Amino acid sequence: MSVVYETGRLNLFVPDVKCADALTDYYKKNREFLRPWDPERSGQFFTRAYQKQWIKLELKEMKKRQSLCLCISKKSHPDVIIGMIRLSNMLFGNFCSAFIGYRLDKDEVNQGYMTEALNKVKQICFQELGLHRLEASTLPNNKASQNVLKKAGFRYIGYSEAYLKINGKWQAHDLFELCASPNCQ
């Protein structure tokens, strides 16, 4: 794992195939914790082979500038993945926008790690990638995630019925945005 970005307590890095074991361990450990917030996952998802293949596909998308995935580890334990932030549907040109999603290890919540990581990713998005707007969505009952977004400067922009298929069913989501320019807030 090569470190790409650092914060006070964290390393944020693009995964490579050497991360497959650490990523598999992360998902196995957090399988039940993430279930209410994730799409349905087959048993195969929780294998090293699946994660290795996913990493390869993700690297291809990143090379085409369609996504950016950053794994998160603590500086004190750089080989243990505690979370991930992923930009998807990255578009440039007149749109310059992306969707952002994130996840954190069940044993690391409420310690400010995701807010710290998200603030770094905002900087990467607006200063390095040249994005103008980030969009995020949460289940309406996921107050912890909404609080992270608000701390990072995102604002609530609406509600959408049957927005994403989560845990096997189409569910409504609260929608948030963050713009690089202050006149869009």
Side-chain angles (χ1 to χ4, degrees):
M1 292 183 265
S2 61
V3 174
V4 176
Y5 300 99
E6 293 184 27
T7 67
R9 303 178 292 168
L10 304 172
N11 297 323
L12 283 68
F13 57 93
V14 172
D16 60 30
V17 291
K18 296 176 202 163
C19 299
D21 287 333
L23 201 52
T24 303
D25 291 345
Y26 168 81
Y27 278 117
K28 283 181 178 178
K29 176 183 178 188
N30 290 284
R31 186 176 192 162
E32 292 306 313
F33 176 68
L34 294 174
R35 186 183 307 271
W37 324 113
D38 272 357
E40 280 188 303
R41 307 280 194 198
S42 70
Q44 186 181 14
F45 177 85
F46 300 92
T47 66
R48 181 186 191 284
Y50 184 96
Q51 294 305 318
K52 187 175 181 180
Q53 187 62 32
W54 179 83
I55 291 167
K56 288 178 182 179
L57 291 172
E58 190 66 26
L59 291 172
K60 286 180 185 178
E61 278 193 24
M62 285 188 270
K63 190 173 186 173
K64 293 188 258 181
R65 291 180 43 117
Q66 296 173 335
S67 72
L68 174 64
C69 180
L70 294 172
C71 292
I72 303 166
S73 67
K74 292 193 264 187
K75 286 182 176 179
S76 60
H77 296 91
D79 295 328
V80 177
I81 293 173
I82 65 162
M84 182 184 305
I85 296 180
R86 185 173 185 269
L87 299 173
S88 62
N89 299 317
M90 286 174 53
L91 296 172
F92 293 91
N94 292 335
F95 201 55
C96 290
S97 184
F99 290 95
I100 190 165
Y102 46 87
R103 59 191 67 249
L104 193 64
D105 185 296
K106 65 185 176 71
D107 295 330
E108 307 298 344
V109 296
N110 297 319
Q111 298 181 54
Y113 291 129
M114 189 50 69
T115 300
E116 186 174 328
L118 192 54
N119 281 326
K120 184 63 175 181
V121 171
K122 281 177 12 188
Q123 180 184 6
I124 295 164
C125 289
F126 297 144
Q127 294 176 10
E128 293 182 29
L129 297 176
L131 293 175
H132 171 70
R133 185 170 186 266
L134 295 175
E135 296 180 41
S137 63
T138 71
L139 290 168
N141 65 345
N142 192 345
K143 300 303 180 195
S145 186
Q146 292 171 16
N147 288 336
V148 167
L149 289 170
K150 289 173 186 173
K151 285 180 198 173
F154 283 75
R155 70 180 180 105
Y156 175 80
I157 58 169
Y159 176 84
S160 183
E161 288 287 344
Y163 184 73
L164 284 172
K165 194 171 186 181
I166 300 294
N167 197 17
K169 59 185 176 192
W170 289 99
Q171 298 192 44
H173 277 66
D174 287 328
L175 309 175
F176 296 81
E177 75 172 359
L178 179 68
C179 291
S181 59
N183 62 346
C184 117
Q185 294 299 322

